[in-house]
Amino acid sequence: MAIMNSLYYPLVSLMPPPVFIVLMNRVFRPYLDNFIIVSIDDILIYSKSEKEHDKHLRIVLETLKEHELYTKPKRCEFWLNKFNFLGHVISNEGISFDTMTIEAIVDCPRPTNVTEVQSFLGMVGYYRSSLEVSPKLLC
C-alpha cells in the first residue's frame, strides 16, 4: 500500500481543499474505489498483491504526470503494510479503528448538558461496533 501526501502544483496548492478534492476526483475518476481513495491532501493506493500494487502505483504516477501534478517525494510513503488513515488503522488484516480514538471516547468526561449528550452519542454511534459500552457508563 502507498500513501501520497501533499501533491504539489503551484495553482492547486492555492486552491481551497474542496476545489482540490474535486480536481483529484476528476483526475482519478476511472480508478476511484477500485484502488484509490482521495482525501483532502492524501491519495491512498491499495492493492491485493505486490505485483498489482506496482501496476497501480505506476498508473497513479503517470496520471499525475499527465495532468502536470507533482508530489514532494519526502512526503510520500510507499509499500506500507500498516498505517493510520482518517482515524482508522489499515493493514493486511483489514480495517480497524485507531485504538487512541477508542481510548479517547472511553476516557471522555461525562456530558453535562443536552448538547454534550447529543455530541457524545453521535460520536459513540459511529464507533459502537468496536466499543463494549457498559450500561453503567450511560447512567
Side-chain angles (χ1 to χ4, degrees), residues 104-127:
I105 292 171
V106 171
D107 296 337
C108 185
R110 186 179 202 148
T112 58
N113 61 43
V114 173
T115 304
E116 289 177 0
V117 170
Q118 290 171 335
S119 177
F120 179 77
L121 290 175
M123 177 175 56
V124 171
Y126 177 73
Y127 290 100

Side-chain angles (χ1 to χ4, degrees), residues 25-91:
N25 284 335
R26 285 183 183 162
V27 167
F28 291 113
R29 182 178 314 255
Y31 314 114
L32 288 176
D33 298 328
N34 291 324
F35 61 88
I36 292 178
I37 297 173
V38 176
S39 170
I40 302 174
D41 64 348
D42 295 327
I43 298 172
L44 171 66
I45 306 164
Y46 56 93
S47 309
K48 293 180 181 179
S49 68
E50 287 187 20
K51 184 177 180 181
E52 188 178 70
H53 191 68
D54 186 51
K55 178 183 171 188
H56 293 162
L57 191 54
R58 288 181 192 280
I59 290 170
V60 169
L61 294 174
E62 288 170 6
T63 302
L64 291 171
K65 188 176 180 180
E66 284 173 23
H67 290 87
E68 298 180 356
L69 296 166
Y70 303 96
T71 184
K72 295 178 183 179
K74 67 180 181 180
R75 299 279 316 268
C76 297
E77 295 179 58
F78 297 98
W79 300 100
L80 301 173
N81 291 320
K82 183 178 181 178
F83 57 91
N84 291 341
F85 186 72
L86 300 175
H88 296 81
V89 176
I90 301 173
S91 69

Side-chain angles (χ1 to χ4, degrees), residues 124-137:
V124 171
Y126 177 73
Y127 290 100
R128 72 177 175 246
S129 63
S130 293
L131 287 175
E132 291 182 27
V133 178
S134 166
K136 292 179 184 177
L137 287 175

